[in-house]
Amino acid sequence: MARTLLRIATAGSVDDGKSTLLGRLLHDLGALSTDTLDAVQRASARRGDAGVNLALVTDGLRAEREQGITIDVAYRFFATERRSFIIADTPGHEQYTRNMVTGASTADAAVVLVDARAGLVAQSQRHLAIAALLGVGTVVVAVNKCDLVGWDEGVFRTIATQARNFALGLPWPTDVIAVPVSALHGDNVIERSA
C-alpha cells in the first residue's frame, strides 16, 4: 500500500509555542535522529534550560536560536505506516508574515497555535485568513498552554468559538477544528489526553 502525502503548515503568534509543539511532535513520534537530539540537548545545556528544549529542534538559523524566534520557513519530513508528512514550520512574528504565506502556499492543512492565556490575537486572525485565502481547507487551532490556565474548559471553548466565528466571516470556506494541548508536556499532542 502506497503512503499518501499530507503537507501541513504551522503558524502561531510569537511565544504561542509552535516550535515546542513541532519539536514535541517529532520527538514523541521518534522522528528525530540521534544526532539531532544530541545537538538539541547540548544547545539546551548551553542555554541553561532545565531540560531538553524541544523548541530548538526546528530553529535552524543561528539568529533564530539566539533570538528565540522563527524567522525562516523550516521543512520537516517524517512518515508513519500510512502517511508521509511534510511540515512547514512558519514564523509567527508579524514582520515575517510573508514567510508564513510561503509555507502555507502548498499546504493541505494548517495548524494555527493560540496561547490559551492570550486568546485569539490579531496575528492568529491573520494566519487563519491567509490559510483560507490560500485554499487550505482544514485548519486545526491548537489552543496551547492549556496547563497554564488549569485546563479550564471555558477558556478553551471561548477561543474555539472565536476562531470558528472568525473563519465563518471569511469569504473563503475553511473548516476549523480546535484542540486543547500542552506542547511542553506533550498533553494531547500524539496521544489523546484525559
Side-chain angles (χ1 to χ4, degrees), residues 26-42:
L26 295 170
H27 176 270
D28 291 0
L29 285 171
L32 296 178
S33 69
T34 303
D35 290 344
T36 299
L37 195 52
D38 288 345
V40 169
Q41 288 171 332
R42 286 191 306 275

Side-chain angles (χ1 to χ4, degrees), residues 81-160:
E81 288 181 23
R82 294 181 22 216
R83 186 169 283 165
S84 295
F85 296 86
I86 300 174
I87 297 181
D89 177 20
T90 70
H93 196 282
E94 184 178 353
Q95 172 182 353
Y96 303 112
T97 299
R98 67 188 176 278
N99 293 353
M100 186 273 178
V101 174
T102 301
S105 66
T106 59
D108 303 308
V111 176
V112 176
L113 261 79
V114 175
D115 185 328
R117 299 168 303 172
L120 197 69
V121 297
Q123 188 68 348
S124 307
Q125 292 174 339
R126 271 187 210 97
H127 290 147
L128 287 168
I130 290 168
L133 177 64
L134 293 173
V136 178
T138 301
V139 176
V140 174
V141 174
V143 181
N144 192 26
K145 303 184 182 184
C146 283
D147 55 310
L148 298 180
V149 296
W151 292 97
D152 186 324
E153 186 176 352
V155 170
F156 167 73
R157 289 195 182 281
T158 297
I159 294 169

